[in-house]
């Protein structure tokens, strides 16, 4: 018989093989790792945010086997959306409207192929997150400099992701790009996303909520289909936030504040976007590492939990309202 330690090691390996996407994790390290290394050398915090651009390009590229030319178009869409939202941020009503429009377009693309949803999500998420993040707690001049560094350095992220795609395509052979069949019911989720994001962005701007990108991100993320599916998605996000964020905060209290710890926590949080098979595990760990990073930076974790729940609630309300309107207008 195998000794208990051997069985435990085997069970742990089996668990990790089920939960962790090793191939995606290694590729994410290749594209995000250089950003963290550059941060250590230059002490430029904008380079850590660039990691989000890199992993946002990588996720749909790996899932849909996109060739470099599609990755390049995706890259341009992120930059254009980010620039538009960043420039509109000082005019709050304009920012709210443009953010809602970005949420609508992120889903409306499924009219031409259901896989456009993945692409649209990974335009919306980095653009909105960065447009809020680079302005958080800094002067207008510093925000402009921060945004400029991200845009000027972003071709590095594009080059790394394209290099991975070229390598992978040589291994498996070139395949034609397909975005899947058009979605028959694209308007309902697109409208629900726009409504949820509009309400979330308006709340953030009216009350000047800190880390407001989490509200908007969560509002868009829970709109995944009908009300039952969206409720299930919010439950997973709520559990992940309630478990992960407090644990990350407590870990931050036990560890000394350091630039190294902050950078590693941000790297780990970015990698959770792609590295786990189950959403609830990835999101819970993401909340953990974001809270840990906030603790290293002298921030707090509670607002992440509140923002996730507020945004998710807006998403559920929007889905419910659009379903009611749709059923009322449908014959029979």
């Amino acid at each position: 018989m195998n000794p208990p330690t051997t069985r435990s090691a085997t069970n742990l390996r089996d668990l990790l093989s089920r939960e962790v996407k090793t191939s995606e994790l290694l590729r994410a390290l290749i594209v995000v790792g250089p950003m963290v290394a550059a941060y250590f050398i230059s002490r430029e915090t904008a380079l850590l945010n660039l990691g989000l651009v890199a992993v946002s390009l990588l996720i749909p590229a790996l899932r849909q086997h996109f060739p470099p030319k599609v990755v390049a178009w995706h890259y341009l869409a992120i930059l254009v959306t980010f620039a538009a939202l960043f420039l509109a941020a000082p005019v709050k009503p304009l920012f709210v409207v443009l953010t809602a429009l970005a949420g609508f377009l992120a889903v409306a693309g499924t009219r031409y192929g259901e896989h456009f949803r993945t692409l649209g999500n990974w335009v919306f998420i980095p653009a909105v997150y960065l447009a809020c993040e680079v302005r958080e707690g800094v002067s207008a001049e510093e925000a402009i400099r921060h945004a400029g560094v991200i845009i000027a350095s972003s071709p590095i992220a594009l080059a790394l992701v394209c290099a991975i795609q070229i390598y992978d395509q040589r291994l498996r052979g070139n395949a034609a790009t397909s975005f899947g069949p058009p979605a028959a019911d694209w308007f309902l989720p697109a409208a629900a996303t726009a409504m949820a994001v509009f309400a979330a962005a308006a709340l953030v701007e009216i009350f000047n909520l800190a880390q407001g990108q989490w509200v908007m991100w969560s509002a868009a993320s829970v709109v995944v289909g009908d009300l039952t599916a969206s409720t299930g998605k919010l439950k997973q996000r709520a559990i992940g936030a309630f478990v992960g964020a407090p644990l990350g905060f407590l870990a931050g209290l036990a560890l000394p504040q350091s630039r190294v710890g902050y950078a590693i926590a941000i790297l780990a949080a970015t990698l959770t976007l792609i590295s786990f098979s189950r959403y609830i595990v990835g999101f819970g760990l993401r909340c953990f590492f974001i809270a840990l990073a906030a603790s290293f930076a002298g921030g707090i974790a509670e607002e992440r939990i509140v923002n996730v729940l507020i945004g998710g609630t807006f998403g559920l309300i929007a889905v419910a309202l659009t379903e009611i309107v749709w059923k009322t207008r449908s014959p029979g």
Side-chain angles (χ1 to χ4, degrees):
M1 295 180 63
N2 292 329
T5 54
T6 302
R7 290 198 301 270
S8 298
T10 301
N11 291 337
L12 179 59
R13 285 196 300 269
D14 291 342
L15 176 64
L16 291 176
S17 66
R18 290 194 304 269
E19 296 293 344
V20 180
K21 300 177 182 178
T22 306
S23 176
E24 287 85 346
L25 174 60
L26 291 175
R27 283 161 173 75
L29 277 171
I30 291 172
V31 301
V32 180
M35 318 301 174
V36 177
Y39 164 74
F40 280 124
I41 295 171
S42 66
R43 296 176 177 267
E44 175 54 68
T45 55
L47 296 174
L48 289 178
N49 287 328
L50 184 59
L52 178 59
V53 176
V55 81
S56 297
L57 291 172
L58 183 65
I59 290 172
L62 291 180
R63 289 179 182 174
Q64 309 303 332
H65 308 300
F66 288 151
K69 66 178 181 180
V70 177
V71 177
W73 282 111
H74 181 197
Y75 162 79
L76 288 175
I78 291 174
L79 289 194
V80 169
T81 308
F82 164 58
L85 295 178
F86 176 79
L87 294 174
V91 185
K92 293 185 177 183
L94 179 61
F95 177 79
V96 171
V97 171
L98 288 182
T99 305
L101 177 61
F104 178 85
L105 294 176
V107 183
T110 58
R111 179 181 183 181
Y112 304 100
E114 59 186 13
H115 294 159
F116 272 109
R117 178 64 186 264
T118 301
L119 199 64
N121 285 346
W122 291 105
V123 171
F124 178 84
I125 290 171
V128 171
Y129 187 92
L130 293 177
C132 296
E133 180 72 14
V134 298
R135 289 186 175 274
E136 188 84 22
V138 298
S139 65
E141 292 77 11
E142 177 61 17
I144 292 172
R145 189 198 67 80
H146 194 143
V149 172
I150 292 175
I151 292 174
S153 305
S154 60
I156 299 172
L158 173 63
L160 289 170
V161 175
C162 286
I164 286 175
Q165 290 306 99
I166 291 171
Y167 173 78
D168 285 348
Q169 285 179 5
R170 286 179 177 175
L171 290 180
R172 64 173 179 263
N174 291 324
T177 300
S178 173
F179 291 100
D185 299 322
W186 62 272
F187 184 78
L188 184 65
T193 302
M195 289 172 56
V197 172
F198 182 90
L203 183 75
V204 169
E205 295 301 324
I206 291 171
F207 294 101
N208 294 315
L209 296 183
Q211 300 297 322
Q213 62 268 28
W214 279 65
V215 183
M216 291 174 269
W217 183 346
S218 188
S221 293
V222 302
V223 183
V224 291
D226 59 18
L227 188 58
T228 300
S230 295
T231 302
K233 185 70 172 291
L234 178 58
K235 286 180 180 178
Q236 293 186 67
R237 291 177 68 85
I239 292 170
F242 271 112
V243 174
L247 289 177
F249 178 65
L250 292 174
L253 291 178
L255 297 171
Q257 293 186 15
S258 70
R259 192 167 65 94
V260 174
Y262 175 77
I264 293 175
I266 292 295
L267 170 63
T270 304
L271 294 178
T272 62
L273 291 165
I274 192 174
S275 303
F276 294 94
S277 300
R278 289 193 295 166
Y279 180 83
I280 191 171
V281 174
F283 187 74
L285 286 172
R286 182 151 64 254
C287 290
F288 172 86
F289 287 117
I290 288 292
L292 180 60
S295 297
F296 282 136
I300 59 174
E302 292 88 343
E303 63 193 14
R304 270 74 175 180
I305 300 174
V306 175
N307 288 357
V308 164
L309 295 178
I310 292 173
T313 301
F314 280 135
L316 292 185
I317 293 172
V319 170
L321 288 175
T322 51
E323 282 193 349
I324 291 171
V325 172
W326 190 267
K327 290 177 181 178
T328 300
R329 296 184 63 181
S330 298

